[in-house]
């Protein structure tokens, strides 16, 4: 099978593995590209490979498939890093050349749905878009393909032709996925830092900036003294703020109190109560959940016999360890 290794500079290496490969085969081949493998982490589909434990590695082999991308991050005192800006730069610089390889269709009566001018368009599921409009559309869509009509997600492999370009997109998606983890952060210099200690005070090995890992502020910035504690510096720190809330009356039933801030229990997007009912639809993952019990709306109704205006149970608290980490991810 073909496997793409993408390093912390955005450079990709295509390796080949036998279908019945073992952990020693993988270690041997990656050592050709990354000497001293103990200095690196190898991440597949959000899971860190244990290349030193044969039993665990064999259980992880099911993550591999032909064409899979392996994200390689370099370890440092506070973790490892990947330069996200390099990846987005590679994608933007290659995009126009990639579009020249994709056939267009001539629609005389149905021009581009964005500019309404060009008749030569790419067919993107139900929608049509010309090459001139595609670049800005793709960048504004965070380099994801989505139909402009039915809003369906489109697999890049069904649209783009170059395997290298597809691997770059998959690498970017993996970085975004990793950013959901509480132990991942992007430094001001553009590096994605992985925190192995989960303490607040960290120093970026690239730019040497000392900062609070969880709110990304310079450590000595501001008048208030920061504290090097687990998950927070205690100075308006981001994750601590996400866990905080005030109880306010439920507008559809003023006798019921509801937290005014929550993070989505499914994708961890932070949001506020909208002064309506207790069910809220997350703008990121579109799943509706209860602000009181944090269960998905359908489960809240069936589990507690509840509805939009009545209390289901005592409000559930959220904790730092509710957020994913690379290990749990």
């Amino acid at each position: 099978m073909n496997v793409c290794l993408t390093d912390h500079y955005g450079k990709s290496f295509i390796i080949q593995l036998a279908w019945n490969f073992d952990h020693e085969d993988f270690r041997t081949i990656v050592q050709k590209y990354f000497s001293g493998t103990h200095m690196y982490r190898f991440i597949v589909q959000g899971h860190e490979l244990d290349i030193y434990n044969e039993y665990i590695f064999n259980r992880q082999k099911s993550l591999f498939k032909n064409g899979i991308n392996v994200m390689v991050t370099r370890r440092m005192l506070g973790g490892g890093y990947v330069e996200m800006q390099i990846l987005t730069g590679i994608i933007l610089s290659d995009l126009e050349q990639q579009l020249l390889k994709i056939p267009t269709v001539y629609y005389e009566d149905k021009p581009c749905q964005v500019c309404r001018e060009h008749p030569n368009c790419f067919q993107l599921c139900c929608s049509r878009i010309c090459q001139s409009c595609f670049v800005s559309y793709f960048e504004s869509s965070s380099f994801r393909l989505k139909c402009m009509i039915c809003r369906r997600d489109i697999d890049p492999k069904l649209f783009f032709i170059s395997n290298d370009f597809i691997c770059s997109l998959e690498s970017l998606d993996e970085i975004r996925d990793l950013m959901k983890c509480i132990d991942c952060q992007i430094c001001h210099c553009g590096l994605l830092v992985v925190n192995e200690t989960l303490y607040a005070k960290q120093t970026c090995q690239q730019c040497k900036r000392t900062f609070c890992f969880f709110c990304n502020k310079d450590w000595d910035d501001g008048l208030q003294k920061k504290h090097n504690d687990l998950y927070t510096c205690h100075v308006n720190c981001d994750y601590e703020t996400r866990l905080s809330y005030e109880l306010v009356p439920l507008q559809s039933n003023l006798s019921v109190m509801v937290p005014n801030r929550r993070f989505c229990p499914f994708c961890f997007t932070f949001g506020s109560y909208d002064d309506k009912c207790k069910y809220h639809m997350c703008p990121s993952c579109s799943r509706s959940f209860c602000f009181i019990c944090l269960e998905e709306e359908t489960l809240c109704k069936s589990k507690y016999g509840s509805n939009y205006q009545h209390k289901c149970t005592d409000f559930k608290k959220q904790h730092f360890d509710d957020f994913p980490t690379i290990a749990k991810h």
Side-chain angles (χ1 to χ4, degrees):
M1 71 178 77
N2 292 315
V3 175
C4 179
L5 304 175
T6 302
D7 71 8
H8 52 286
Y9 295 112
K11 188 175 181 180
S12 296
F13 307 89
I14 303 297
I15 65 172
Q16 290 187 323
L17 293 169
W19 288 101
N20 62 343
F21 75 98
D22 59 26
H23 89 293
E24 194 59 41
D25 294 330
F26 184 80
R27 285 182 57 185
T28 300
I29 198 166
V30 298
Q31 281 175 342
K32 295 179 181 179
Y33 301 96
F34 304 96
S35 59
T37 52
H38 66 283
M39 291 297 297
Y40 296 89
R41 287 179 169 187
F42 300 87
I43 300 170
V44 178
Q45 298 187 45
H47 298 271
E48 182 182 353
L49 298 175
D50 191 332
I51 65 173
Y52 296 100
N53 186 308
E54 182 176 5
Y55 174 74
I56 296 177
F57 184 86
N58 286 337
R59 291 172 55 192
Q60 296 173 323
K61 280 176 57 177
S62 61
L63 298 170
F64 285 83
K65 60 183 179 181
N66 191 41
I68 196 70
N69 184 71
V70 178
M71 179 71 65
V72 184
T73 62
R74 186 175 177 86
R75 294 168 65 97
M76 62 182 187
L77 181 62
Y81 60 84
V82 162
E83 189 154 1
M84 193 169 183
Q85 290 179 334
I86 288 180
L87 275 177
T88 56
I90 290 172
I91 291 169
L92 285 173
S93 64
D94 288 352
L95 183 56
E96 291 193 25
Q97 282 298 113
Q98 296 300 321
L99 294 179
L100 293 176
K101 303 175 183 179
I102 303 171
T104 58
V105 180
Y106 183 81
Y107 295 99
E108 184 175 3
D109 300 326
K110 298 178 180 179
C112 170
Q113 291 173 249
V114 178
C115 67
R116 311 301 299 177
E117 294 179 1
H118 300 290
N120 287 307
C121 297
F122 302 118
Q123 186 68 44
L124 200 63
C125 190
C126 314
S127 50
R128 303 172 305 279
I129 186 168
C130 69
Q131 182 176 332
S132 300
C133 294
F134 186 91
V135 177
S136 57
Y137 147 80
F138 196 46
E139 188 174 6
S140 65
S141 301
S142 300
F143 303 104
R144 291 189 174 96
L145 293 174
K146 186 181 287 288
C147 179
M148 293 180 287
I149 295 177
C150 71
R151 308 305 298 168
R152 181 189 305 172
D153 292 323
I154 301 167
D155 188 338
K157 294 177 183 177
L158 301 178
F159 184 78
F160 293 106
I161 295 173
S162 167
N163 286 331
D164 287 344
F165 189 76
I166 292 169
C167 284
S168 294
L169 292 176
E170 289 175 345
S171 298
L172 189 62
D173 275 341
E174 288 205 25
I175 293 175
R176 288 197 193 99
D177 207 26
L178 289 173
M179 279 303 295
K180 294 178 181 178
C181 299
I182 195 171
D183 56 351
C184 290
Q185 180 62 271
I186 296 179
C187 180
H188 290 172
C189 66
L191 302 183
L192 189 145
V193 187
V194 182
N195 186 342
E196 294 182 333
T197 68
L198 291 176
Y199 277 89
K201 188 175 183 180
Q202 298 292 329
T203 299
C204 175
Q205 287 192 355
Q206 180 71 10
C207 67
K208 310 303 179 185
R209 181 175 73 103
T210 299
F211 64 105
C212 170
F213 184 87
F214 301 103
C215 61
N216 215 355
K217 299 183 182 77
D218 291 349
W219 191 256
D220 294 323
D221 187 32
L223 298 177
Q224 290 180 276
K225 181 181 178 181
K226 295 180 176 64
H227 299 273
N228 187 24
D229 288 336
L230 284 168
Y231 305 114
T232 179
C233 66
H234 297 295
V235 181
N236 298 319
C237 205
D238 286 4
Y239 283 91
E240 193 171 34
T241 300
R242 294 190 200 189
L243 294 176
S244 68
Y245 58 84
E246 297 171 286
L247 292 176
V248 297
L250 184 67
Q251 289 302 302
S252 56
N253 184 349
L254 298 179
S255 64
V256 175
M257 304 298 285
V258 61
N260 65 343
R261 292 186 298 272
R262 289 294 206 182
F263 62 82
C264 174
F266 307 106
C267 73
F268 314 103
T269 300
F270 188 51
S272 299
Y273 174 57
D274 66 359
D275 291 332
K276 294 180 182 176
C277 77
K278 67 177 185 177
Y279 297 119
H280 288 63
M281 180 176 288
C282 174
S284 296
C285 69
S286 300
R287 295 176 73 170
S288 180
F289 66 96
C290 174
F291 251 46
I292 296 177
C293 69
L294 297 175
E295 302 280 10
E296 200 159 7
E297 179 178 353
T298 53
L299 184 57
C300 171
K301 290 177 177 177
S302 63
K303 184 176 180 179
Y304 299 109
S306 186
N307 58 35
Y308 73 96
Q309 63 178 347
H310 290 108
K311 182 178 177 180
C312 42
T313 184
D314 292 336
F315 61 87
K316 183 179 178 181
K317 290 187 176 181
Q318 295 180 304
H319 306 277
F320 287 116
D321 57 11
D322 290 336
F323 293 100
T325 62
I326 286 181
K328 290 191 293 184
H329 198 59

